[in-house]
Amino acid sequence: MEYLVLALVLLVLLGFVTVRSRRGRVPAGSQPEALRGEGPAGEVGREAGSGEGAPVAAAVVEPTYAGSLSRSRGPFSQLFARIKGQGEVETVTRQVEETLILADVGPALAEAIAGDLRGSLAGGSLDAESVRSALAAELKGRFLDADRTLHLGDQKPGVVLFVGVNGTGKTTTIGKLAAHLAGEGTKVTVAAGDTFRAAATEQVSIWAEQAGVDLVSGQAGADPASVIFDAIDHAGAIGSDVVLCDTAGRLQNKGNLMEELRKIRRVAEKGAGSVSEVLLVIDATTGQNGLAQARAFGEAVAVTGVVLTKLDGSSKGGVALAIESTLGLPVKLVGLGEGLGALKPFDVEAFVDGLLGGMD
Ligand SMILES: Nc1nc2c(ncn2[C@@H]2O[C@H](COP(=O)(O)OP(=O)(O)O)[C@@H](O)[C@H]2O)c(=O)[nH]1
Ligand SMILES: [Mg+2]
């Protein structure tokens, strides 16, 4: 009997120690909101054996284009439900044009697309599936046939500048990308170049820590160009492959701030390595206003590509086409959610199919 009690006590103690050591390894609640992902990610991630302190929540329910584009798709679904297979090409193409404008493709582009669609539908069948596939082909054909790969440069370290207005998702995108690149074995340094707000350095340092990558920051109010220069210098010294440079958000019509960005770019070229990408981060919920941003930033710092964030919350996903077809800038990455796995390479096929939806 005594042995039995002793054995029981030992078992309980053993269980207690095991629980404590697990808690120690997985600091619940220490992840920033954005890393917790959507749904019961943390639990599943651990079950899948994502490793101790792994920054990449491997089993996060991965967002898809189709899922994330549901708000932008709404008007198209309604349009296709209304098409009954009869009627005139003119009426159908006018309805398509209106729907494209609702998706924030922009009036001129919507008119041009509707015009071409009129030609491709003439004399053919006018059922919903035919209209959908003709429109899908029309849209896909209007995206750039561009190089969408992210260039990290031939000369180490590659320097990637993230620019854009406030709150578009620059810092979050850097965090997601840093984790992704680090997971692939790329050595990353993050430059906390948003010295304007004290909280910005803290935010980017949490992301860098979660991603397990190197961070260089300066004092609040320090010259952002010199923080970025120091980060590139440091990255060169420790053999980093790439420096992801955060910058403060700025309105495209503020001349002095755009001048500051030009300086950052000039200074970033001066150190070890060279600027391999300047990514303009645009919030998809701002729709056509993103075009004005792209024009101004493009003029100031020779933007090489666009990161279109918050497609998941936007009903204006059509702006992706406007950016490419009107400005000739390739969308390289898209944000389909706040979670770590929600940054995706831009995929035209998946985007258009997600926007127009399949037929039930
Ligand atoms: N839903 C959604 N939210 C995002 C996405 N990207 C960024 N955000 C959110 O947008 C907000 C602003 O992001 P932040 O990176 O601080 O913007 P910054 O000012 O450009 O650095 C944060 O709450 C992010 O979680 C995205 O793709 N989808
Ligand atoms: Mg920021």
Side-chain angles (χ1 to χ4, degrees):
M1 188 62 191
E2 275 129 318
Y3 284 120
L4 200 62
V5 171
L6 195 65
L8 266 173
V9 168
L10 271 174
L11 262 176
V12 168
L13 272 176
L14 201 67
F16 182 64
V17 169
T18 313
V19 168
R20 276 193 63 89
S21 75
R22 277 217 196 118
R23 290 225 178 102
R25 279 192 280 138
V26 186
S30 71
Q31 288 185 327
E33 191 66 33
L35 283 183
R36 288 193 205 122
E38 300 146 333
E43 291 307 315
V44 187
R46 259 171 273 154
E47 267 169 33
S50 58
E52 289 182 5
V56 182
V60 165
V61 182
E62 288 271 317
T64 60
Y65 277 83
S68 301
L69 283 165
S70 62
R71 288 194 63 195
S72 294
R73 184 166 59 249
F76 288 101
S77 304
Q78 285 167 19
L79 167 73
F80 296 130
R82 277 208 309 272
I83 296 177
K84 297 288 181 234
Q86 295 118 12
E88 293 172 10
V89 172
E90 190 51 44
T91 315
V92 171
T93 49
R94 208 184 53 244
Q95 288 170 344
V96 169
E97 185 177 335
E98 285 163 11
T99 312
L100 288 168
I101 292 172
L102 283 180
D104 236 15
V105 159
L109 188 53
E111 192 184 343
I113 295 169
D116 285 357
L117 192 67
R118 199 170 290 127
S120 55
L121 288 176
S125 154
L126 262 192
D127 60 286
E129 179 50 29
S130 307
V131 176
R132 195 197 72 87
S133 61
L135 178 58
E138 203 46 67
L139 295 180
K140 286 173 189 173
R142 280 174 182 267
F143 277 95
L144 295 173
D145 186 14
D147 174 12
R148 298 180 195 279
T149 49
L150 202 61
H151 294 283
L152 303 187
D154 305 328
Q155 210 185 334
K156 261 172 62 166
V159 176
V160 181
L161 297 179
F162 289 80
V163 302
V165 303
N166 256 321
T168 53
K170 292 176 292 300
T171 306
T172 309
T173 300
I174 287 173
K176 292 171 180 172
L177 188 61
H180 173 78
L181 291 173
E184 281 185 338
T186 304
K187 193 164 180 190
V188 178
T189 292
V190 169
D194 181 354
T195 55
F196 191 64
R197 294 179 304 124
T201 296
E202 198 196 337
Q203 185 194 4
V204 79
S205 72
I206 292 171
W207 278 106
E209 197 185 322
Q210 291 291 338
V213 302
D214 178 44
L215 173 88
V216 175
S217 58
Q219 300 287 326
D223 176 18
S226 73
V227 172
I228 286 173
F229 183 84
D230 287 350
I232 297 169
D233 199 40
H234 173 75
I238 65 166
S240 285
D241 299 304
V242 64
V243 190
L244 304 180
C245 306
D246 200 10
T247 63
R250 65 201 71 224
L251 280 175
Q252 70 272 17
N253 56 7
K254 293 271 188 259
N256 57 334
L257 295 180
M258 295 308 270
E259 186 48 46
E260 180 187 80
L261 210 52
R262 279 189 205 99
K263 178 181 166 193
I264 289 175
R265 198 192 197 295
R266 273 198 311 274
V267 170
E269 289 289 6
K270 287 205 173 112
S274 62
V275 177
S276 54
E277 295 274 4
V278 180
L279 297 178
L280 172 62
V281 183
I282 296 179
D283 175 343
T285 62
T286 59
Q288 288 286 302
N289 191 351
L291 290 189
Q293 293 165 22
R295 276 196 196 94
F297 278 92
E299 277 166 23
V301 281
V303 170
T304 57
V306 168
V307 182
L308 192 60
T309 59
K310 310 189 199 179
L311 268 179
D312 52 307
S314 175
S315 58
K316 300 172 176 176
V319 73
L321 182 56
I323 290 165
E324 292 225 343
S325 131
T326 317
L327 301 174
L329 276 176
V331 177
K332 293 204 164 182
L333 299 166
V334 287
L336 302 181
E338 288 186 286
L340 203 53
L343 185 72
K344 305 273 183 195
F346 184 53
D347 178 340
V348 172
E349 291 278 325
F351 176 83
V352 173
D353 292 342
L355 187 66
L356 302 187
M359 304 305 294
D360 319 301

